[in-house]
């Protein structure tokens, strides 16, 4: 019977009032699980997350030529608005959140400057958190009822298409969330 207080974005804390939502991803932190497909990347564990735990993971770029990303299929309903959010941190790679046309949301995020780049559909937001973490969100309205593949991918400079990886660049990820609604709410962890 106590109100929710958000201390993460404000050291003094503030009252957190949100609608009830659910995370449509079955595994929000376990990017090494087979639930998430991998293309041109491997996953390493034990990275400090925005919450201070050892529950973030690194997407490590392989030396292959192609896209470097993880993906997952999710069911969406035509005419429904969805928001997809994920925390990301990087020293030398940027992030692209890309869903196919029926989800209608795609944007790039510069994790050095904290800016949004190359939004081709839907809308996007980026919010800075301590220790160089950013909460990146895309929002779109589904154009059909179907299973869509959503990709969280590495971007070399402004290139998110095929490139040859260096085998060592990383993108730290935490807390992937897909929810119905026109904005992202606070993190809802899932594990199966």
């Amino acid at each position: 019977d106590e109100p929710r207080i958000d201390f993460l974005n404000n050291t003094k804390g503030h009252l957190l009032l949100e609608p009830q939502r659910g995370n449509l991803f079955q595994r929000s932190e376990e990017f090494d699980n087979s639930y998430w497909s991998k293309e041109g990347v491997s996953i390493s564990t034990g990275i400090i997350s925005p919450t201070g735990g050892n529950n973030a993971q690194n997407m490590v770029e392989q030396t292959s030529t192609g896209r470097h990303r993880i993906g997952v299929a999710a069911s969406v309903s035509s005419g429904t608005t969805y928001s997809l959010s994920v925390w990301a941190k990087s020293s030398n790679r940027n992030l692209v959140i890309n869903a196919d046309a029926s989800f209608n949301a795609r944007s790039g995020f510069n994790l050095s400057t904290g800016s949004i780049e190359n939004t081709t559909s839907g809308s996007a937001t980026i919010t800075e958190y301590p220790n160089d973490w950013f909460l990146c969100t895309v929002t779109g309205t589904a154009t059909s009822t179907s299973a869509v593949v959503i990709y969280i991918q590495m971007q070399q400079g402004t290139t998110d298409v095929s490139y040859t990886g260096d085998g060592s660049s990383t993108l730290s990820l935490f807390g992937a969330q897909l929810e119905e609604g026109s904005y992202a709410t606070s993190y809802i962890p899932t594990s199966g």
Side-chain angles (χ1 to χ4, degrees), residues 3-112:
R4 294 173 65 199
I5 306 294
D6 179 11
F7 290 100
L8 192 57
N9 230 0
N10 181 338
T11 57
K12 295 181 181 181
H14 65 274
L15 193 60
L16 182 60
L17 301 172
E18 296 179 315
Q20 184 173 349
R21 299 252 183 102
N23 188 347
L24 301 177
F25 288 146
Q26 293 177 13
R27 299 200 177 270
S28 61
E29 298 173 14
E30 303 166 46
F31 304 110
D32 57 337
N33 187 280
S34 61
Y35 174 75
W36 293 89
S37 65
K38 287 95 179 153
E39 184 180 345
V41 297
S42 61
I43 304 295
S44 64
T45 61
I47 310 303
I48 304 297
S49 74
T51 62
N54 262 355
N55 50 349
Q57 297 185 331
N58 270 344
M59 187 164 46
V60 183
E61 179 178 284
Q62 295 176 341
T63 57
S64 57
T65 299
R67 289 189 167 90
H68 304 275
R69 61 190 182 179
I70 59 174
V72 65
S75 296
V76 296
S77 297
S78 182
T80 302
T81 299
Y82 295 89
S83 291
L84 187 156
S85 58
V86 65
W87 274 274
K89 175 180 178 178
S90 178
S91 58
N92 59 350
R93 291 293 185 252
N94 291 320
L95 169 74
V96 172
I97 299 175
N98 184 15
D100 64 22
S102 57
F103 180 92
N104 201 28
R106 182 187 189 285
S107 187
F109 301 89
N110 186 315
L111 301 177
S112 298

Side-chain angles (χ1 to χ4, degrees), residues 100-156:
D100 64 22
S102 57
F103 180 92
N104 201 28
R106 182 187 189 285
S107 187
F109 301 89
N110 186 315
L111 301 177
S112 298
T113 64
S115 60
I116 297 167
E117 299 177 345
N118 304 322
T119 301
T120 56
S121 59
S123 61
T125 63
I126 186 169
T127 305
E128 187 172 2
Y129 280 79
N131 299 319
D132 301 320
W133 283 97
F134 291 92
L135 179 60
C136 304
T137 304
V138 295
T139 299
T141 301
T143 57
S144 66
T145 299
S146 62
V148 299
V149 178
I150 297 167
Y151 293 105
I152 298 170
Q153 61 192 54
M154 300 175 86
Q155 180 177 2
Q156 183 185 46

